[in-house]
Amino acid sequence: MSAGAPHGAGGTAQGTGGLRASLSGLTTRGRSFLAAGAAAAVCAYVLGQSELLRVGLLLALLPLICVAALHRTRYRVSGSRRLTPDRVPAGGEARVRLRMDNVSRMPTGLLMLQDRVPYVLGPRPRFVLDRVEPGGRREVSYRVRSDLRGRYPLGPLQLRLTDPFGMVELTRSFSTYDTLTVVPRTEALPPVRLGGESSGYGDGSRRSLALAGDDDVIPRTYRRGDDLRRVHWRSTARYGELMVRREEQPQRSRATVLLDTRRGAYEGAGPDSAFEWAVSGAASTLLHLLEHGFSVRLLTDTGDSVPGEAGGGFSSGAQESAEAAGLMMDTLAVVGHSDGAGLAGAHEALRGGVGGGGFASAGSDGLLIAFFGDLDDVQSELAARMCRRSGGAVAFVLDPAAWTGLPSRVEEPLRRLRDAGWTALAVPPGAAFGELWRQAGAGPAGTTARGATNSGGRG
């Protein structure tokens, strides 16, 4: 069996080998017929019964004839898979559409179509396709759902061929597969005022460059679609290429979302664990800030920054923000526990080291929102110093003791963070993040001790 050009995600169906592989496709019925025929032939030889020998040969030859007939079958079938959407939140559903096209000049027999899916997405879907006429097609669909975030492969698509007597089943596999990305659950957050929001896209405002005269113009290279009335001829003559006036320079408020992934900072596992709550909270915060025009980056305790090191790791531009949102959500879909014991990597990044971008002025990193797990004395002091370069800092601290039913021990880390200028909130088990977010921006408790002079934006 071969395949034509697929529609969407598909590929060529690969056989399992030669005649020996076809013999291995004998079903229990086929093997029983073969064994019964051999036994009847032996008995006929021993007893000298020629009629019994004919019966034995018939029983043995029937499955072998089915093997030969199915082995010589040459269907030309193309298969495809379409996944809609390919990125869903945990608990959401995606629809998978399968399409089979018979591109040969002969009809197919009975086909069993099945798609390989991970166990977490549900049972393996199977469909029985009746005879497909030459040039015809069949479409089927199924749904997948997962409460656990991650990246799950779908495929390869498989066809099972069988003869009319059920003696033989052969499997043909396509070579390609799709990937379903299950991102963390998110929730819409209320608009609140937080410290550290500089005037810029946080307020939807722009800063214009001085244009008092030609000497104040900062030109740039002409790009397709630029208004020709903005061509700066003096710079064009100087540089030998078409230059246009850069009339305004948008300034975007910056925000860093810090996620503590240390293995020892959390207890428990599963969708309702403290770590999954922190991942979901970080995802909700990232999307909320991007929707409000912030230039955002995701930072982990190891110092890794997403979307990358360019621009200090922050997203920039409307189109790039959409791409950065997808990249950060894909990162959170697969983020796991780190083996580190401390927050030194994140501290160095915020100081302008790894992925920090080397900003010079205090508060230039904008807003800092952190999701911490368990903080001992050393890590509490280190976390307290992280807000020195930010205009405002908000911390959500998840105490693993409280999440496992033990007495809470989060008060001392909260006190140290607040003394250092953080707006620090404890996260009780199963807390609604939207309400905590509202508390972070409500009244004096929602304003950090420093950097509150620049809180005109909306978070």
Side-chain angles (χ1 to χ4, degrees):
M1 180 179 62
S2 61
H7 302 266
T12 302
Q14 304 294 336
T16 56
L19 186 59
R20 179 177 298 180
S22 298
L23 286 171
S24 66
L26 283 170
T27 62
T28 302
R29 179 184 298 177
R31 295 176 187 274
S32 300
F33 268 68
L34 193 62
V42 172
C43 292
Y45 176 77
V46 173
L47 300 176
Q49 297 291 329
S50 59
E51 293 80 3
L52 184 58
L53 179 60
R54 295 189 186 97
V55 174
L57 292 177
L58 177 62
L59 292 175
L61 285 176
L62 182 58
L64 296 179
I65 293 173
C66 293
V67 168
L70 204 59
H71 175 71
R72 293 177 59 85
T73 300
R74 290 295 182 266
Y75 298 142
R76 295 188 64 241
V77 179
S78 68
S80 66
R81 181 193 305 103
R82 287 185 180 178
L83 179 60
T84 309
D86 58 359
R87 183 187 290 123
V88 296
E93 286 189 344
R95 177 180 289 274
V96 184
R97 292 179 172 87
L98 304 177
R99 171 175 166 176
M100 301 301 300
D101 292 82
N102 183 11
V103 296
S104 66
R105 296 183 179 180
M106 60 179 298
T108 68
L110 189 67
L111 301 177
M112 178 180 287
L113 179 66
Q114 65 179 12
D115 208 7
R116 298 184 62 181
V117 300
Y119 176 77
V120 70
L121 296 183
R124 178 175 297 183
R126 292 183 173 90
F127 306 92
V128 177
L129 303 181
D130 293 331
R131 175 182 178 274
V132 182
E133 65 278 4
R137 71 181 184 187
R138 298 290 186 269
E139 293 186 0
V140 292
S141 66
Y142 65 95
R143 293 181 178 272
V144 290
R145 179 181 181 275
S146 174
D147 292 326
L148 300 176
R149 56 185 176 83
R151 291 173 62 87
Y152 302 103
L154 300 179
L157 195 61
Q158 293 181 332
L159 280 177
R160 297 179 65 184
L161 311 178
T162 184
D163 65 286
F165 300 103
M167 299 288 182
V168 187
E169 285 185 355
L170 299 181
T171 301
R172 299 291 185 263
S173 298
F174 291 84
S175 57
T176 59
Y177 63 92
D178 286 332
T179 300
L180 174 66
T181 302
V182 180
V183 300
R185 290 186 179 92
T186 59
E187 60 178 291
L189 300 180
V192 298
R193 296 184 179 274
L194 299 172
E197 303 175 13
S198 61
S199 60
Y201 272 43
D203 283 326
S205 62
R206 294 173 179 263
R207 295 178 181 175
S208 298
L209 297 175
L211 296 174
D214 288 344
D215 293 338
D216 294 324
V217 174
I218 301 178
R220 61 169 174 81
T221 306
Y222 173 83
R223 298 172 188 163
R224 182 178 232 177
D226 286 336
D227 190 349
L228 291 177
R229 291 174 296 182
R230 294 174 55 195
V231 173
H232 191 249
W233 298 108
R234 179 178 299 179
S235 298
T236 299
R238 178 185 303 172
Y239 294 107
E241 58 180 330
L242 205 57
M243 307 291 288
V244 296
R245 293 182 178 89
R246 191 191 332 233
E247 295 180 351
E248 59 184 16
Q249 178 68 31
Q251 301 293 328
R252 296 169 60 85
S253 299
R254 285 176 167 174
T256 298
V257 178
L258 171 60
L259 176 62
D260 180 7
T261 64
R262 294 172 297 139
R263 188 180 304 276
Y266 301 92
E267 297 287 346
D272 298 326
S273 65
F275 181 66
E276 292 301 322
W277 191 100
V279 174
S280 178
S284 300
T285 303
L286 287 168
L287 293 183
H288 178 78
L289 294 175
L290 286 170
E291 288 174 357
H292 285 73
F294 278 79
S295 181
V296 182
R297 67 172 172 176
L298 171 65
L299 186 67
T300 65
D301 56 290
T302 61
D304 295 330
S305 178
V306 179
E309 296 184 1
F314 292 90
S315 61
S316 60
Q319 182 177 0
E320 293 186 11
S321 292
E323 296 175 356
L327 180 59
M328 287 186 283
M329 294 301 288
D330 288 347
T331 300
L332 290 176
V334 297
V335 69
H337 290 293
S338 68
D339 294 327
L343 301 170
H347 182 252
E348 289 299 320
L350 291 170
R351 277 179 38 183
V354 180
F359 303 108
S361 60
S364 60
D365 282 2
L367 185 64
L368 173 61
I369 301 177
F371 295 84
F372 292 121
D374 187 31
L375 297 174
D376 56 22
D377 294 342
V378 175
Q379 302 309 317
S380 296
E381 292 295 334
L382 192 61
R385 296 197 298 269
M386 290 183 183
C387 66
R388 292 178 179 176
R389 296 179 55 84
S390 63
V394 180
F396 299 96
V397 184
L398 293 89
D399 181 14
W403 281 75
T404 54
L406 300 176
S408 176
R409 52 177 185 268
V410 77
E411 289 302 324
E412 182 60 22
L414 289 178
R415 183 190 63 79
R416 292 184 179 181
L417 292 175
R418 290 166 181 164
D419 290 345
W422 287 81
T423 297
L425 299 174
V427 180
F433 182 50
E435 181 59 31
L436 289 177
W437 180 262
R438 193 186 305 275
Q439 294 178 21
T447 305
T448 55
R450 59 184 191 79
T453 59
N454 208 8
S455 57
R458 295 180 70 83

